[in-house]
Amino acid sequence: MSDLSTVIEVAGALSAAGGLGYAKARSPRVFWSLVGAPVARVRFAVTYRATMDVCGLTVQPSRLRAFMVRNVARRQDVQPVPPQVRRVRYSSTGMRATLRLPAGLEPADVSAASERLRHAWGVHSVHVVEVKPGFVELRMTGYDVLRRVKMPRRLPRNTTAGPLVVPVALRADGTAFVRDYQKVPHALTVGANQSGKSMYQRNLISGLAKLPVGLVGIDCKRGVEQRGYAPRLSALAITPDEADGLLDALVGEMEERFDLLSSHGVADLWGLPAKVRPVPLVVLVDEVAELFLVAAKKDEERRDRMVMRMIRLAQMARAVGIFLEVCGQRFGSDLGKGATALRAQLTGRVVHRVNDKQTAEMALGDIAPEAVFAATTIPPDRPGVAVAGDSSGGWSRMRTPAMTPAEAVAVCREFAHLTPHLAALAPFRPAVSTVPAPGPSLLKPRPATG
């Protein structure tokens, strides 16, 4: 009888171990919640002071503290002071600890020790974020959150929901990467074929389609990428000639909006009364190289006009609510005159897997040089993984959730009623077919404009 009970106990233990192993591999959120989080919590609490000490994150106490320890606490061994733990929170992806830094430590010191902290507490990654002067937040993930992307329900703490805020991807620290057009008005996205660049654009367009904004598409590959979004587009250009005319119309729209701001004595779109405020516009440029490249000498004049208009929009249009999303496989000075000037105005950068280091340096080298290496080490078997940076110098690794073209088209059709009509862009408004599958009939023929 005792042998039978022993066999049952062993079988139960093996089953439990096998179940935990399966959960760790197939459902890491469940494994972290059941096993990983309790173990990490105990390890963090028990080893915190010793870990901070061996990682060099302690400082000598102030004279007042040393005096209080010797004369009030009656202790002669005055120990170095680690950062003070103010708050610890746990979630389904990891845990966060808010630390108050003692005098003599800065956030860069904690960031430099993040790898040692990760191994000491047995977590997948440790990201250090400065919350406010003197305070940092350790964002620890219990597993690789980019392996299977699941977008969080809440936006990051420093991000407020607004009329132009779109969650697009998941950061490596478990928070959402958002496109906030009021903070970062223009952006550049680059990546090789099959890197997930189009997937990023689908997620972005699907998020924008639900907002009260106008969408303008420029896709000189005959509209193969953006044709299906026609129900939600206020304008679409599918050839260089059409793009030339559309960019001219956008510059005219920008100048009219500046006249409106001047008549009301305000500096930007959001200062206008709601009843006269024009709708914000997001211009989505797919494969920007098609606007720069010319096949014959006669096309150079058109190319120069288009590039100059895009530079004007990037320099001035933010105040009137016109924003640029420029996308391409490669973007740099080798495209021709005006490329560097345009890139300098695109403060947001998203770099997917690229074919050469020079492409990553073109996109990130001028804002976050240390992010170039991270962009060049993105594996080819993880489409959608990218490095995002901005003009502040900050950068992070992220991944967009999988989205098929049909899903993005369905969202655009569902929210087609939000598409605004703008008189200046009316000649470029695509006709919408009633056929469920997008096809050539989505666009009505129109003469090329010069």
Side-chain angles (χ1 to χ4, degrees), residues 180-241:
D180 188 341
Y181 289 91
Q182 291 181 280
K183 293 182 179 179
V184 182
H186 312 301
L188 170 66
T189 303
V190 297
N193 285 326
Q194 303 299 318
S195 65
K197 184 172 77 277
S198 297
M199 197 181 303
Y200 174 86
Q201 293 293 312
R202 292 174 204 142
N203 280 274
L204 179 63
I205 292 173
S206 297
L208 288 170
K210 304 172 185 178
L211 302 180
V213 300
L215 302 181
V216 176
I218 298 179
D219 181 6
C220 292
K221 296 183 299 183
R222 294 299 189 270
V224 295
E225 290 287 347
Q226 298 181 356
R227 185 186 296 269
Y229 311 140
R232 189 59 180 84
L233 297 179
S234 297
L236 176 62
I238 63 172
T239 66
D241 285 332

Side-chain angles (χ1 to χ4, degrees), residues 89-107:
R89 293 174 296 162
Y90 296 86
S91 67
S92 59
T93 59
M95 65 182 188
R96 298 184 182 183
T98 303
L99 308 181
R100 178 181 175 86
L101 301 180
L105 281 183
E106 62 178 358

Side-chain angles (χ1 to χ4, degrees), residues 364-365 367-375 387 393-395:
L364 295 171
I367 62 171
E370 64 276 9
V372 174
F373 176 76
V387 174
W395 64 277

Side-chain angles (χ1 to χ4, degrees), residues 147-369:
R147 183 182 176 187
R148 295 175 183 171
V149 177
K150 184 177 181 180
M151 294 294 292
R153 297 180 180 178
R154 297 181 180 179
L155 296 178
R157 183 186 303 178
N158 60 347
T159 303
T160 56
L164 292 172
V165 176
V166 183
V168 184
L170 181 68
R171 295 180 186 269
D173 63 3
T175 61
F177 170 78
V178 302
R179 278 292 286 122
D180 188 341
Y181 289 91
Q182 291 181 280
K183 293 182 179 179
V184 182
H186 312 301
L188 170 66
T189 303
V190 297
N193 285 326
Q194 303 299 318
S195 65
K197 184 172 77 277
S198 297
M199 197 181 303
Y200 174 86
Q201 293 293 312
R202 292 174 204 142
N203 280 274
L204 179 63
I205 292 173
S206 297
L208 288 170
K210 304 172 185 178
L211 302 180
V213 300
L215 302 181
V216 176
I218 298 179
D219 181 6
C220 292
K221 296 183 299 183
R222 294 299 189 270
V224 295
E225 290 287 347
Q226 298 181 356
R227 185 186 296 269
Y229 311 140
R232 189 59 180 84
L233 297 179
S234 297
L236 176 62
I238 63 172
T239 66
D241 285 332
E242 292 182 357
D244 185 21
L246 178 54
L247 287 171
D248 185 44
L250 286 170
V251 171
E253 175 72 14
M254 177 185 70
E255 292 173 346
E256 289 185 5
R257 293 187 179 201
F258 272 117
D259 291 338
L260 182 62
L261 297 185
S262 178
S263 65
H264 284 79
V266 296
D268 61 29
L269 184 80
W270 310 108
L272 291 171
K275 61 181 180 180
V276 299
R277 184 186 304 152
V279 63
L281 293 177
V282 179
V283 183
L284 305 157
V285 182
D286 186 80
E287 200 49 67
V288 66
E290 292 297 319
L291 302 182
F292 281 84
L293 302 179
V294 293
K297 188 75 174 179
K298 63 179 181 178
D299 297 330
E300 291 183 0
E301 183 179 352
R302 181 192 63 200
R303 188 271 309 276
D304 293 343
R305 286 198 309 267
M306 289 192 294
V307 174
M308 185 56 63
R309 287 163 182 164
M310 289 189 66
I311 293 175
R312 289 193 63 193
L313 290 171
Q315 289 177 335
M316 304 169 57
R318 178 204 61 81
V320 296
I322 301 178
F323 311 99
L324 296 181
E325 281 287 345
V326 178
C327 181
Q329 295 185 38
R330 183 178 173 85
F331 193 82
S333 58
D334 57 333
L335 289 181
K337 184 175 64 175
T340 302
L342 176 60
R343 184 187 61 177
Q345 301 297 326
L346 306 176
T347 53
R349 309 288 173 84
V350 176
V351 180
H352 294 77
R353 179 179 55 81
V354 293
N355 292 325
D356 57 279
K357 183 180 179 181
Q358 288 72 25
T359 302
E361 289 176 341
M362 291 177 197
L364 295 171
D366 58 334
I367 62 171

Side-chain angles (χ1 to χ4, degrees), residues 7 16 32 36 50 55 61 102 123 134 222 227 235 251 262 277 362 390-391 399:
V7 171
W32 167 256
C55 290
V123 293
R222 294 299 189 270
R227 185 186 296 269
V251 171
S262 178
R277 184 186 304 152
M362 291 177 197
D390 55 51
S391 57
R399 190 177 190 183

